[in-house]
Amino acid sequence: MRKFMLTTCSAAALALLAGQAAAQSGDWSYSATFYLFGAETKNSVGTAFGTVESKLSFSDALDNLDLALMGAFEARNGRWSLLADYMLTDLSIPGGAVLGGAFSGTDFDARTQIFSGYAMYTVYEEPAASIDLAGGFRWFSTDNTLELFSGALPGRRVSVGDDWVDPVIGARVRFPIADRWSGTILADYGGFSSDSETWQALGTVNYEINQNWVIRGGWRYITFDHDISGRGFRFTQSGPILGATYRF
């Protein structure tokens, strides 16, 4: 709860900062994006027997997906903008024999929530491109149950769960490609410590249907490396992304 309150307070502080800076810059404009992230998911969890790794392709994830919710929201005023992005996934990841046959198979149930919040400022703006610098945070919540099926050793169940907030810095580049077509590249890095580190890269090609609607497609990579109660935990997702943005 304390970390959730920290996240909420951080979001409020970012909103206040950008709101005050842009108060004299005119009206706010908004955009809401709903998207599908066709991610390959990789997990690794430290156990008393060693590190256990799991991998799930997007096609397999469709069969093992219990819940998914993904979306982003941006508010912009002059050179200032606020960007929020949220992902919720609930997956079951089966696996084969691990740790040299000590266990005959695994089943990894992973429920993850990722919320990224940024305050951005446009430092360069020309017809050929614009560049935004960003500062903010990323909240990650994970609740995992690792089932180790009996092999040379009796079966075990390992539960790993935590939530935390990492500060992040980043940049976004936007540029036109052709009539109605444009590109966007976003990259960030955070955590800044050996026991908590995160970064992501996102690139999309965008097509403007009309003044309000934009279709986006591209590729995303996001990763976390964090120690949970002395256990090493690593979470990575990468794959194509497809979404629709409504501007108002």
Side-chain angles (χ1 to χ4, degrees):
M1 178 61 71
R2 182 180 65 85
K3 292 181 179 179
F4 178 77
M5 292 296 295
L6 175 60
T7 302
T8 304
C9 292
S10 299
L14 290 177
L16 180 62
L17 173 63
Q20 290 177 338
Q24 306 301 321
S25 301
D27 296 330
W28 287 93
S29 60
Y30 307 95
S31 63
T33 302
F34 299 94
Y35 62 87
L36 175 65
F37 183 25
E40 175 185 81
T41 301
K42 297 179 181 179
N43 284 283
S44 67
V45 178
T47 73
F49 309 99
T51 300
V52 177
E53 298 181 347
S54 301
K55 179 179 177 180
L56 189 68
S57 68
F58 175 63
S59 58
D60 291 335
L62 293 177
D63 296 328
N64 294 275
L65 182 66
D66 298 321
L67 179 65
L69 177 64
M70 304 172 186
F73 181 82
E74 182 170 0
R76 187 169 185 86
N77 191 326
R79 288 181 175 266
W80 285 94
S81 61
L82 297 172
L83 176 63
D85 180 90
Y86 176 76
M87 292 195 301
L88 164 65
T89 57
D90 197 341
L91 294 168
S92 297
I93 308 176
V98 294
L99 303 178
F103 300 99
S104 60
T106 66
D107 186 71
F108 194 91
D109 293 327
R111 180 184 177 91
T112 61
Q113 297 181 80
I114 304 171
F115 182 84
S116 301
Y118 311 88
M120 295 185 169
Y121 184 76
T122 303
V123 296
Y124 178 83
E125 190 168 22
E126 294 293 339
S130 65
I131 300 174
D132 303 323
L133 296 184
F137 64 91
R138 179 168 298 125
W139 173 68
F140 186 89
S141 175
T142 182
D143 187 7
N144 307 280
T145 300
L146 174 63
E147 191 82 27
L148 299 168
F149 301 119
S150 60
L153 295 176
R156 297 284 192 280
R157 173 176 289 188
V158 179
S159 295
V160 178
D162 199 2
D163 66 277
W164 62 90
V165 178
D166 285 324
V168 296
I169 57 174
R172 180 175 64 178
V173 180
R174 296 168 292 159
F175 53 92
I177 297 175
D179 184 36
R180 294 182 178 266
W181 291 91
S182 64
T184 303
I185 299 173
L186 170 68
D188 66 42
Y189 174 80
F192 307 102
S193 67
S194 59
D195 60 354
S196 190
E197 186 178 39
T198 179
W199 68 275
Q200 78 161 331
L202 168 67
T204 64
V205 175
N206 320 306
Y207 179 74
E208 184 178 306
I209 299 175
N210 53 42
Q211 183 177 355
N212 298 110
W213 286 99
V214 179
I215 301 296
R216 306 178 186 274
W219 191 271
R220 185 181 204 171
Y221 180 96
I222 185 167
T223 186
F224 296 84
D225 199 340
H226 189 83
D227 286 348
I228 301 177
S229 301
R231 291 193 177 110
F233 173 78
R234 185 175 179 84
F235 174 89
T236 299
Q237 287 187 318
S238 63
I241 188 170
L242 179 65
T245 298
Y246 181 73
R247 302 182 298 198
F248 55 100

